[in-house]
Amino acid sequence: MNDDAQSPVFRPARGLAHCVIGTLALAGAAWAARGVWQVRLAVTGEPLSGPPDQGDGNHRPLTSLEDAYHLVSTVGDIATVLCAVTFLLWLSQVRDNARALSGQRLRYAGPWVYLGWIVPIANLWVPRGIVAEVYRAGRPDARLPWTVNVWWGLWLVGALSGAGLMYADSKDDVIARAYGDVTPLLVADTAVVGAAVACALVVRAVTDAQDSRGDAGARPATP
């Protein structure tokens, strides 16, 4: 659909923002727990029987600690997916609100709200650009909050560090890495938790900016 085919209606996003902040808190707690379990694995040390994945498709029975890590990691994965869905819903709504408030065509078309996270190279800056543009539509004369850059920097570390959000290895491989060198895993975990906290502040700042401009008398667009 052409972005200019219709004028969006301004819809306060505070309720959805609260949902996003709640899922961010859940995801951050889950990733913090994941880090705690990785430390426990490193301190306990690898069993004499070797890593869970023995090679050639052979897996030994998991220890109770390893089994618990599987559970904690799965909860973290579910929380991350839930957080991503609610965040994208919020981002789509506040982007529509930005068009309604500014009355102008935005730099990034609507599909980039979703494609910006998965298109290689573009995913290094497009999502941050969308958030920055949405914030400035609510407060044109204000400086971009420092939390936006902190959030995006931590997100890139956590997502692209080779041990975080986009790390493709199995849980058993991560367990083996925790036994060998847990530090890269903890760096990624810390970045993800920090990004969740910073993102919650960004969500609040963007939502407040839009609401304050609406309260000040910005004319909502009509369909």
Side-chain angles (χ1 to χ4, degrees):
M1 181 180 294
N2 190 329
D3 235 19
D4 298 326
Q6 61 179 2
S7 297
V9 176
F10 179 82
R11 295 179 297 157
R14 186 161 300 279
L16 190 53
H18 289 160
C19 292
V20 177
I21 292 172
T23 57
L24 283 166
L26 179 63
W31 277 81
R34 184 172 179 154
V36 169
W37 253 261
Q38 289 166 354
V39 170
R40 293 183 63 188
L41 288 166
V43 170
T44 301
E46 187 175 77
L48 296 177
S49 53
D53 186 350
Q54 304 278 293
D56 297 325
N58 297 317
H59 290 75
R60 64 165 172 78
L62 297 176
T63 67
S64 59
L65 184 59
E66 292 167 348
D67 198 41
Y69 176 78
H70 271 258
L71 178 60
V72 169
S73 184
T74 298
V75 170
D77 292 341
I78 294 172
T80 301
V81 171
L82 181 61
C83 181
V85 170
T86 56
F87 180 83
L88 289 176
L89 290 174
W90 170 83
L91 186 58
S92 178
Q93 182 169 327
V94 295
R95 183 196 171 277
D96 287 345
N97 286 347
R99 286 191 59 215
L101 290 171
S102 67
Q104 299 176 356
R105 182 178 180 180
L106 301 181
R107 178 180 181 185
Y108 296 102
W112 281 107
V113 169
Y114 309 99
L115 295 177
W117 301 89
I118 59 176
V119 175
I121 307 301
N123 60 4
L124 298 177
W125 73 81
V126 168
R128 179 201 172 277
I130 294 174
V131 170
E133 187 174 37
V134 167
Y135 178 82
R136 292 186 177 111
R139 290 186 177 163
D141 298 327
R143 294 184 60 183
L144 191 67
W146 59 269
T147 50
V148 173
N149 291 327
V150 171
W151 157 64
W152 191 241
L154 290 174
W155 164 263
L156 291 178
V157 172
L160 306 177
S161 63
L165 285 162
M166 297 183 184
Y167 190 65
D169 276 8
S170 68
K171 295 179 178 64
D172 285 347
D173 290 332
V174 175
I175 289 172
R177 294 188 68 184
Y179 287 139
D181 184 7
V182 74
T183 301
L185 297 174
L186 296 180
V187 169
D189 294 338
T190 301
V192 172
V193 174
V197 174
C199 187
L201 297 175
V202 169
V203 169
R204 181 175 179 179
V206 170
T207 305
D208 287 347
Q210 291 193 343
D211 287 353
S212 64
R213 187 173 179 195
D215 292 342
R219 183 177 64 84
T222 56

